[in-house]
Amino acid sequence: MEDFNATIMIEQRNCPFDIKGSQAHATMLGRQGIISQEDAEAICKGLDQVAQEIRDGKFVFRTADEDIHMAIEKRMTEIVGPAGGRLHTARSRNDQTTVTTKMMLRATIREVQAAIRDLQKEFVDIAEKHMDVIMPGYTHMQTGQPILFSHWMMAYFWMLERDFTRFDNLFSRMGRCPLGAALAETDFPIDREFTAKALGFDAPTENSIDSVSDRDHMVEFNACAAMCYMHLSRLSEELVTFSTQDFKFIELSDDFCTGSSIMPQKKNPDIAEKIRGKTGRVYGNLMAMLTIMKGLPLAYNTDLSEDKEQVFDSIDTLLASLRIMTPMIAKMTVNAEKMRHNADLGYSNATDLADYLARKGVPFREAHHVVGSMVNYCIKHGKPLDDLTMDEYKSFNDKIEEDIRHEIALETCVKARKSYGGTAPEAVSKQLEVARAVLDHEAQTLQ
């Protein structure tokens, strides 16, 4: 039963935060005269010794102690004597475990945000290095319009920017400290404002029942992690696709690939595939947390002791994936010639030809139909749209003039998308400028 009920082997990463929370609580008890200053100081010193033993690997974790809170308090009491037994005055393990996990998650969020920023910087760097590279843009994985590779790369920057702000919003929502609020609260004259500020929170929680039964922060962390991981998975999918022999738009460094056991010519994008494959477990962690919380009555129930494994796994998986994706992008080789070649193949300038006719006075629906017929003709005769003779152009619509070749050249098509957020070089330059400003402005947050 002890083995089944224990969480101590899972939650050891929370030890530094549990100790810090206990020291703040002991200090508050001493300030309020609930315990003597001498006892408060002895408890804090004893907890310092426990922390050192844990860092040195000398602390023995036993399932009989059930969780880290009991284990740490037990060892501290062995060190300082009877004064250690006064630490738990005016608190419960229910508020203790919640504040510990909240502190851990707030620290973790800053780690995740720093890792997101590192990856975003690589997106900006590689976009700037390949600013003028033209590639086909796809919808339904069919060639749509010509775009700049830099514009494609920056799409992932803005996906991760939303992830950054989601984690930032969660950090703010986790700014209430539950310490000292267990079910009906306590009749000791505690100062919850003091412990909240001492532990880096904005204020204490408002409702003692909600304080110990709330796991929104853990559910939401898994939700934010799942969203972020979805973006990493989408990028991984495109890296896998674009590195195939059929596309050959990019080449991943050998550092992130392996060979086949029987086919010597192969270079498998294992790390990108591995990240894509881990998406299922991160999604599963979110569903597990939601299911644990479903239908729980107020206030604390032991079901809540099952809250940590899923969150810890999401933390480790997300951080590891962000940190390996960053050098993989940095070492990626861009094949500009192949991208430009493929943009030519798929009639990606067809929309621009329809727009050209619309500017000449042809209703767009009619222009769309005319260009569709032209594409069909070009496919049958093995020609690109900009390689037709003037007679061939005129056979489809007599409003087409000599300027058509310039108007539907890929470079012209790309340069025409000048609106903010578009793929024209000046639009992408503005986008990169804004991205650099975002990175510079937010750098202070992570300090």
Side-chain angles (χ1 to χ4, degrees):
M1 197 283 291
E2 286 176 353
D3 288 343
F4 186 80
N5 199 44
T7 58
I8 192 167
M9 297 306 174
I10 298 165
E11 60 190 3
Q12 292 171 24
R13 68 176 71 194
N14 280 356
C15 288
F17 304 99
D18 181 75
I19 288 171
K20 187 176 179 181
S22 290
Q23 288 176 323
H25 184 68
T27 302
M28 180 275 296
L29 293 175
R31 280 168 51 95
Q32 295 296 105
I34 298 171
I35 66 174
S36 70
Q37 284 289 351
E38 292 77 15
D39 283 350
E41 290 172 9
I43 288 168
C44 289
K45 287 180 182 177
L47 288 168
D48 281 335
Q49 184 174 328
V50 174
Q52 190 60 52
E53 289 177 4
I54 292 171
R55 286 192 293 269
D56 293 342
K58 296 178 180 178
F59 191 94
V60 179
F61 294 95
R62 298 181 177 88
T63 55
D65 292 330
E66 189 178 336
D67 57 37
I68 59 164
H69 317 296
M70 296 294 289
I72 289 170
E73 183 180 332
K74 178 181 175 182
R75 175 61 185 138
M76 179 272 296
T77 303
E78 289 173 355
I79 294 168
V80 306
R86 297 188 172 92
L87 171 61
H88 208 57
T89 306
R91 76 173 183 184
S92 159
R93 266 195 302 174
N94 297 344
D95 54 308
Q96 183 183 357
T97 188
T98 306
V99 75
T100 297
T101 305
K102 274 193 171 183
M103 289 166 64
M104 182 276 295
L105 278 181
R106 278 163 69 88
T108 299
I109 284 171
R110 292 308 189 211
E111 283 189 73
V112 170
Q113 287 183 301
I116 288 173
R117 282 288 181 251
D118 288 342
L119 180 52
Q120 286 180 303
K121 287 173 188 173
E122 290 301 337
F123 291 155
V124 171
D125 287 346
I126 200 166
E128 288 178 338
K129 287 176 188 173
H130 303 280
M131 184 66 193
D132 299 321
V133 174
I134 294 175
M135 68 178 288
Y138 300 95
T139 64
H140 308 277
M141 280 308 290
Q142 303 296 315
T143 301
Q145 295 173 300
I147 61 172
L148 291 179
F149 167 81
S150 52
H151 193 48
W152 171 82
M153 189 80 268
M154 288 302 293
Y156 288 100
F157 177 96
W158 297 111
M159 287 186 200
L160 288 186
E161 184 59 22
R162 293 192 295 275
D163 294 322
F164 185 96
T165 56
R166 262 187 286 273
F167 279 112
D168 217 37
N169 292 337
L170 175 56
F171 185 92
S172 298
R173 268 190 296 282
M174 290 171 60
R176 300 287 173 169
C177 179
L179 192 59
L183 190 54
E185 225 250 6
T186 179
D187 56 359
F188 287 99
I190 61 174
D191 184 352
R192 295 189 62 221
E193 289 282 351
F194 171 83
T195 49
K197 297 295 183 184
L199 295 175
F201 290 93
D202 303 322
T205 50
E206 297 85 353
N207 184 286
S208 59
I209 302 175
D210 180 52
S211 296
V212 295
S213 62
D214 170 38
R215 291 298 184 273
D216 286 6
H217 50 286
M218 302 184 81
V219 175
E220 194 172 355
F221 183 91
N222 274 359
C224 292
M227 288 283 282
C228 186
Y229 217 91
M230 173 188 69
H231 296 144
L232 294 182
S233 183
R234 292 181 68 182
L235 175 56
S236 296
E237 167 65 17
E238 295 213 278
L239 294 178
V240 170
T241 300
F242 289 162
S243 64
T244 61
Q245 290 297 316
D246 303 279
F247 280 83
K248 216 168 186 179
F249 288 178
I250 62 162
E251 183 176 356
L252 298 174
S253 167
D254 290 353
D255 297 345
F256 305 96
C257 299
T258 64
S260 166
S261 61
I262 63 168
M263 293 167 276
Q265 84 283 5
K266 288 185 67 186
K267 182 177 177 179
N268 300 326
D270 281 22
I271 296 303
E273 292 176 345
K274 191 83 167 178
I275 291 173
R276 188 178 60 185
K278 285 179 180 290
T279 311
R281 68 191 291 166
V282 179
Y283 287 3
N285 291 337
L286 171 59
M287 290 308 302
M289 274 303 306
L290 287 167
T291 307
I292 289 167
M293 297 304 297
K294 175 193 167 294
L296 282 188
L298 294 172
Y300 184 85
N301 298 271
T302 306
D303 310 52
L304 295 175
S305 68
E306 289 294 307
D307 61 356
K308 296 177 184 66
E309 281 185 276
Q310 295 79 20
V311 175
F312 292 170
D313 184 69
S314 289
I315 290 169
D316 295 341
T317 305
L318 180 59
L319 277 173
S321 300
L322 286 166
R323 288 167 177 166
I324 201 166
M325 179 66 83
T326 300
M328 184 161 65
I329 290 293
K331 290 188 166 188
M332 180 175 71
T333 302
V334 176
N335 189 341
E337 185 178 344
K338 186 65 165 64
M339 288 187 185
R340 174 83 172 62
H341 173 73
N342 277 37
D344 254 335
L345 289 179
Y347 303 100
S348 62
N349 50 0
T351 301
D352 296 85
L353 180 48
D355 290 342
Y356 170 86
L357 290 173
R359 287 193 296 271
K360 294 284 186 176
V362 179
F364 185 80
R365 288 296 180 193
E366 182 183 338
H368 185 280
H369 177 74
V370 169
V371 175
S373 300
M374 293 173 72
V375 169
N376 188 45
Y377 175 86
C378 289
I379 291 171
K380 288 179 179 177
H381 291 82
K383 289 184 174 186
L385 280 169
D386 52 2
D387 201 32
L388 297 178
T389 66
M390 281 310 299
D391 288 339
E392 286 174 312
Y393 281 130
K394 293 283 190 182
S395 69
F396 290 97
N397 192 285
D398 59 9
K399 292 185 181 292
I400 298 176
E401 305 292 342
E402 287 289 346
D403 61 348
I404 186 62
R405 300 188 198 285
H406 169 74
E407 291 297 320
I408 64 172
L410 293 186
E411 287 73 16
T412 305
C413 298
V414 167
K415 289 177 182 178
R417 271 70 184 177
K418 297 179 181 179
S419 299
Y420 183 70
T423 195
E426 56 262 50
V428 176
S429 293
K430 179 62 178 175
Q431 184 182 168
L432 289 167
E433 181 184 331
V434 173
R436 285 288 187 198
V438 166
L439 294 175
D440 293 341
H441 176 73
E442 295 293 348
Q444 207 167 15
T445 302
L446 304 181
Q447 293 173 1

